[in-house]
Amino acid sequence: MTRLGNYLFRLFAAEAAALFGVALTILYLVQLLRIVEVGAVRDRGLGTLFWQTILGLPPLSIAFLYVCLAIGLARALRAMQGSRELHIIHASQRLPALLGTILGYAAIGTLMVLLLAHVIEPLASRENNLIKAQAAADLVGHSLVPNRFAELGDGVTITVGGRGANGEITSFFADDRRDTDTRRTYIADTALITADELGYVLQLESGTIQYRTADGQFSEISFERYDIALERLTGDEDTGERRGDQSTYGMIMRGLTEGDWPTESLRRMAERTSDGFRVLALCLFVAAIGAFPSGRRKEPVLPVEITVLGAVLFERAITSYAPVAGWARETSGVIVLIVLSVAILVYRLRVFAPLPREAHSR
């Protein structure tokens, strides 16, 4: 990279890093306050609470990093416009160096977000879910006092008849009133807390599940054995696929091994890939509107940060309402924004403009 390229890259990265540092600090404090409140109820140690705070940052970082990278680039270009550096770059015909640095900056940002989305975020989510599962198991285990009713959070009441020496529970009863539309009651002769590959589960034997709707309708299902994740009783989701802790590598290997590619797995992989290429799309958009000098002495009426956020909302709106289904919808907004940005760049670079008459005569 040339000296000019190093200078420009450091300028872009410094603006983005400062903005992302502020956002990450605020996110960390919000996560800490939220998890400390939950942890105080569940009586966990401070070390576990701080670790959970760190594990909760990757998904939030993905949502803010691509915005910070784009706004950092836009603010740097605006500062160069104000100091007339942008004019000097164009006058000295160093525009290829500027655009090349922007592409390199966007490529590194894209790789960072792809690494976060495909690798770090699933690992952090898996570790966080294991901690939640352990906390749920501890909470249920301490609440299972024979012949006493205990509250597991808001709306779940549980009681047991007794506990055996090997951990077996007799006369299990749980009433779940959290759903205003359907009230569920679990009744089983015996139960056992155990663990599987997704976390801790409660194995119910010889019982029934009773459903009562808001309008008084009643239904009952009998079972010989029914496994319920302890997290479901304490308020969290109970399947690894919905948790988001299934890694992209695991999804690909499972698809290649089983020959089956579930729609949810394809959608999740497309969503993670779109998170990364959203950086490229936004940086191209910023370059298209901000990499060319202007003769205006005053600042634009619309701040550059608002313009970038408007592009983000535009991309998300297309993704949400695109007339396609499945994994293609997750990539539609990014593709449209990239095509639009490239079209603006081509127009402003005058790629297809006719040559002047002097050039023809020569």
Side-chain angles (χ1 to χ4, degrees), residues 136-137 140-141 144 163 167-169 191-195 200-203 230:
V140 174
L144 295 179
R163 302 186 67 171
E168 188 179 61
I169 301 166
L192 183 66
I193 298 178
T194 184
Y200 290 89
V201 297
L202 191 63
Q203 293 181 351
L230 290 180

Side-chain angles (χ1 to χ4, degrees), residues 306-322:
I306 301 299
T307 304
V308 173
L309 292 177
V312 173
L313 293 177
F314 171 75
E315 182 270 327
R316 300 308 296 170
I318 292 178
T319 302
S320 300
Y321 299 103

Side-chain angles (χ1 to χ4, degrees), residues 121-123 125-127 129-130 133 196-201 229 231-232 236-248 251 254 264-265 267-268 272:
E121 193 272 337
L123 291 176
S125 179
R126 184 182 299 113
E127 181 67 21
N129 287 326
L130 289 177
D196 62 6
E197 66 277 5
L198 295 179
Y200 290 89
V201 297
E231 295 158 283
R232 171 176 286 180
D236 297 322
E237 294 289 348
D238 64 324
T239 59
E241 194 68 26
R242 288 201 298 270
R243 289 171 180 163
D245 59 7
Q246 182 73 23
S247 67
T248 301
M251 293 179 189
R254 185 179 65 181
E264 178 62 22
S265 296
R267 188 199 64 79
R268 190 175 295 279
R272 291 172 178 173

Side-chain angles (χ1 to χ4, degrees), residues 250-261:
M251 293 179 189
I252 294 175
M253 294 304 298
R254 185 179 65 181
L256 294 176
T257 302
E258 300 177 359
D260 180 32
W261 298 88

Side-chain angles (χ1 to χ4, degrees), residues 6-23 64-81 83 85 105 286 304-305:
N6 288 328
Y7 166 75
L8 292 174
F9 187 86
R10 288 197 303 268
L11 187 64
F12 301 156
E15 288 284 352
L19 191 60
F20 185 64
V22 174
F64 280 85
L65 181 55
Y66 66 85
V67 177
C68 293
L69 288 169
I71 292 180
L73 175 62
R75 294 177 66 175
L77 292 174
R78 182 184 60 186
M80 293 173 63
Q81 164 78 19
S83 63
E85 291 177 290
Y105 170 83
V286 170
V304 66
E305 294 85 356

Side-chain angles (χ1 to χ4, degrees), residues 260-280:
D260 180 32
W261 298 88
T263 303
E264 178 62 22
S265 296
L266 293 175
R267 188 199 64 79
R268 190 175 295 279
M269 287 190 289
E271 180 182 11
R272 291 172 178 173
T273 304
S274 297
D275 286 336
F277 282 93
R278 195 170 288 120
V279 177
L280 177 62

